[in-house]
Amino acid sequence: MAQQLSIAVAQPRCTAYDVTANAVAHAEAIRAADARVVLFPEMSLTGYELDAVPVTPDDERLAPIVAACAETGSLALVGAPVPGPRIGILAVDGDGARVAYGKVHLHGSEAAHFVPGEPAVLVVDGWRLGLAVCRDTGVPEHAAKTAAMGIDGYVAGVVHADHEADVHGERARRVAADIGVWVATAAFAGPTGGGFDRTSGRSGIWSADGKLLAEAGAAPDEIARAVFVK
């Protein structure tokens, strides 16, 4: 019997450092996405603010996201600074949150604030999802090491400047060519910290043969969605 997995990439509006407001925006995106997995950009919960306080899985401000996941049956992969401290991905469902991943390949000044994580795979309904954050996607070794753990898809949250909008597709097609899995990238939209006054948006989902299946526009609050079958 064929297995299906619906996945959405979301790029909610973001207020710098305001986890409470951003959690509400994430919850709205989850309800709108109508997908089993909803993927968010790098540090989507705080903005790309390298001095943001790490968010712990038991943080009460995550309650709107937990509630939205409980209502929809979704798993949200939320970008946030997490204990370590790491640039992390929080896996949130109707039962709560846990740290699923920490960015392996830190970029520039990130290393002054964070420590690197390790490759990781998250299993959802029998689908094995390799996790990545931004610069990880530009290091072929990362996808190779993650693929060696056995994956069906490779999912990443990123922040790119507006002139880098084509980077998602270039990297997704390379990953698809190198390891033969589908790729989903949630990219920040709207202004954020770290000099990213204008970000790219254009979150997308690509098939294992590198074909673009769905893409959001450049504006905040847009969502793209696809369904995979195996």
Side-chain angles (χ1 to χ4, degrees):
M1 183 174 171
Q3 290 179 281
Q4 291 190 347
L5 184 71
S6 57
I7 184 163
V9 286
Q11 46 193 53
R13 61 193 178 281
C14 180
T15 303
Y17 303 102
D18 194 340
V19 174
T20 299
N22 295 333
V24 171
H26 280 61
E28 292 172 355
I30 291 163
R31 292 187 176 96
D34 186 29
R36 178 68 177 97
V37 176
V38 186
L39 177 65
F40 290 92
E42 179 178 22
M43 296 184 76
S44 57
L45 202 58
T46 59
Y48 187 76
E49 310 294 342
L50 300 185
D51 59 347
V53 176
V55 179
T56 60
D58 61 355
D59 194 312
E60 293 181 355
R61 294 173 296 177
L62 296 173
I65 302 176
V66 174
C69 290
E71 291 173 24
T72 59
S74 298
L75 173 72
L77 300 179
V78 177
V82 298
R86 293 184 169 89
I87 296 177
I89 295 176
L90 289 168
V92 186
D93 61 17
D95 294 323
R98 65 183 178 89
V99 176
Y101 180 72
K103 185 176 185 177
V104 176
H105 297 281
L106 300 175
H107 181 67
S109 56
E110 293 173 354
H113 299 269
F114 302 99
V115 296
E118 298 289 338
V121 173
L122 184 67
V123 182
V124 184
D125 302 343
W127 293 75
R128 295 178 62 83
L129 307 182
L131 305 177
V133 174
C134 210
R135 186 165 182 252
D136 293 336
T137 65
V139 180
E141 177 189 16
H142 182 273
K145 285 187 173 181
T146 306
M149 301 167 72
I151 59 175
D152 300 298
Y154 186 76
V155 301
V158 308
V159 177
H160 286 143
D162 57 346
H163 66 273
E164 298 175 310
D166 292 335
V167 170
H168 321 329
E170 292 169 1
R171 293 182 177 178
R173 287 188 291 271
R174 191 208 72 229
V175 169
D178 287 350
I179 62 177
V181 300
W182 56 266
V183 182
T185 302
F188 213 99
T192 191
F196 290 101
D197 297 330
R198 295 171 63 90
T199 57
S200 65
R202 301 265 302 277
S203 300
I205 304 169
W206 291 261
S207 67
D209 60 2
K211 178 183 178 183
L212 179 64
L213 301 177
E215 185 179 44
D221 296 324
E222 294 203 19
I223 295 169
R225 182 179 182 275
V227 178
F228 291 93
V229 180
K230 68 174 180 178

